[in-house]
Amino acid sequence: FCLLLRAVIRCKNEKATIDKTDIAYLESAYLETKADTTFNQLVQAYGKAITKSTDNTLKQSLLVKAIDLCNVPEKSTLKEVFSLELLKTNPNHERAADMLFELAKNMEFRNKMDAAAMLYSGFSKRFPNDSRTKAAQEKIKTDQENHETYFKKLAKDILNNPGEKGINAANTEL
């Protein structure tokens, strides 16, 4: 009995160290507070864990959690970063079609029509049986139907009439 009592007292006297940069801790804290600083810390923790991950399954799991965390309009750019990384990590992910189509819509919304058209083109080719393919095909510009020709023209435009930095900066924005 005395040994048990000593162990209990010793445990109470020892401070449990909590890693406030741990994803589980930050997820719990964010659910409780919804504070922007906690959100930012959590996004950074996801980013570090994703970067360090050598396990592809774990990396995809972390990316999906980060995407879901950023699934609000004011965090859409962060969601795009994580979505692009997930598409690079696993182009055949079960959410790939939704992410690619959403990226195209976001570019269109930002009036980045060339980028949107390229994403819609990629979507149409990768997911020909998706119900959104017809709508995506309507957004593809005629000069983008053949991506090789399009990129050659784009490179020519960028190098035509170069400025101080050796490129035509006006033609670099998609």
Side-chain angles (χ1 to χ4, degrees):
F1 176 77
C2 287
L3 289 174
L4 180 62
L5 184 58
R6 281 186 194 167
V8 170
I9 291 171
R10 199 173 317 140
C11 285
K12 284 186 177 183
N13 290 336
E14 291 178 7
K15 292 182 180 178
T17 57
I18 297 173
D19 182 2
K20 293 187 177 184
T21 62
D22 179 65
I23 289 177
Y25 172 80
L26 290 168
E27 285 174 333
S28 175
Y30 182 68
L31 285 174
E32 186 179 315
T33 66
K34 298 289 184 190
D36 280 344
T37 52
T38 307
F39 174 86
N40 292 335
Q41 291 170 338
L42 182 55
V43 167
Q44 289 173 359
Y46 276 127
K48 287 177 185 174
I50 290 163
T51 303
K52 289 180 182 178
S53 179
T54 56
D55 178 349
N56 204 30
T57 304
L58 174 62
K59 185 174 186 174
Q60 289 179 59
S61 173
L62 291 167
L63 284 162
V64 167
K65 284 183 174 186
I67 290 165
D68 291 343
L69 174 70
C70 299
N71 196 22
V72 290
E74 62 272 10
K75 307 296 185 189
S76 65
T77 54
L78 288 169
K79 182 179 178 184
E80 287 175 16
V81 170
F82 290 121
S83 295
L84 284 168
E85 186 61 29
L86 183 58
L87 287 169
K88 285 192 296 185
T89 302
N90 181 1
N92 299 315
H93 190 273
E94 63 187 30
R95 292 168 65 174
D98 293 334
M99 287 186 284
L100 189 55
F101 193 80
E102 186 175 346
L103 287 167
K105 282 183 5 184
N106 290 346
M107 290 299 117
E108 184 179 7
F109 177 75
R110 290 190 194 122
N111 205 29
K112 303 274 188 182
M113 303 315 276
D114 286 344
M118 289 303 292
L119 289 166
Y120 283 126
S121 175
F123 176 85
S124 296
K125 288 177 179 144
R126 291 227 24 243
F127 306 103
N129 298 323
D130 190 286
S131 62
R132 300 166 287 191
T133 297
K134 184 177 180 182
Q137 288 172 334
E138 292 171 4
K139 309 268 184 177
I140 301 169
K141 294 182 174 185
T142 309
D143 64 343
Q144 290 180 329
E145 289 176 356
N146 179 332
H147 70 278
E148 288 177 18
T149 305
Y150 172 75
F151 282 119
K152 283 179 185 176
K153 180 189 175 307
L154 189 61
K156 183 180 174 186
D157 290 345
I158 289 171
L159 297 174
N160 189 26
N161 297 321
E164 291 176 15
K165 297 182 181 179
I167 61 171
N168 185 328
N171 290 333
T172 60
E173 300 232 354
L174 289 178

